[in-house]
Amino acid sequence: MSFINPCMASLALVSGSIAVNLAIFSTSKSNQLFNTFDNEDQRQMYYIVKKERMQIHSIAYGISICAALLYAFALNRRRKNINYCFFSLIIHALAMIIYKCYPKQYNLRSYLVSQDQLKKYDDLKKQMKNSFVMGLAIGVGLYMFTESRCKKH
């Protein structure tokens, strides 16, 4: 068995994604940033950026699911078994790559004017990055824990 396998990588990416979503939706940092907006233009831009990022996220997952289904279809035509861990890894890794590479039209940071807004924005981005790394570590830890438990039985 190699050190990194598709199941571990897939579980790590899923855990990282869950951790980021929990950080975004359960934290007060995004609310603190929103509350610093002085005018309606900044609030509108916040919603525009949020909508754009959700659309990019949906496009990325749509493309990656199609790619994973093509992988499964190709294996099925050859009468080979589908590795569901690799199937999941294709979905999550490809979605992450597409999201990172997809050109973003709007950057919220360029619409922030005060130092307080910039600091809160940077704090939110840092928390999201740290949450992703923590989620990756939790995913790897969960995999190693379950793998060691399964080997004992």
Side-chain angles (χ1 to χ4, degrees), residues 13-23:
L13 289 175
V14 169
S15 299
S17 180
I18 290 170
V20 168
N21 284 314
L22 288 174

Side-chain angles (χ1 to χ4, degrees), residues 35-93:
N35 291 335
T36 64
F37 295 156
D38 298 328
N39 56 44
E40 191 59 33
D41 291 339
Q42 285 183 320
R43 288 188 175 102
Q44 281 301 115
M45 188 48 62
Y46 175 81
Y47 289 122
I48 290 170
V49 169
K50 188 175 176 180
K51 182 180 177 183
E52 179 193 43
R53 296 308 192 271
M54 288 184 345
Q55 287 173 340
I56 294 169
H57 195 262
S58 299
I59 289 168
Y61 268 96
I63 291 170
S64 63
I65 288 170
C66 289
L69 288 173
L70 285 173
Y71 157 77
F73 180 73
L75 286 180
N76 191 27
R77 286 186 53 101
R78 293 184 187 140
R79 308 251 190 257
K80 294 187 177 184
N81 292 333
I82 298 170
N83 181 335
Y84 291 103
C85 289
F86 193 70
F87 180 84
S88 177
L89 180 61
I90 290 171
I91 292 172
H92 296 292

Side-chain angles (χ1 to χ4, degrees), residues 98-109:
I98 292 170
Y99 183 83
K100 293 288 184 189
C101 296
Y102 198 95
K104 279 88 174 164
Q105 185 176 359
Y106 303 103
N107 182 0
L108 183 61
R109 193 173 209 291

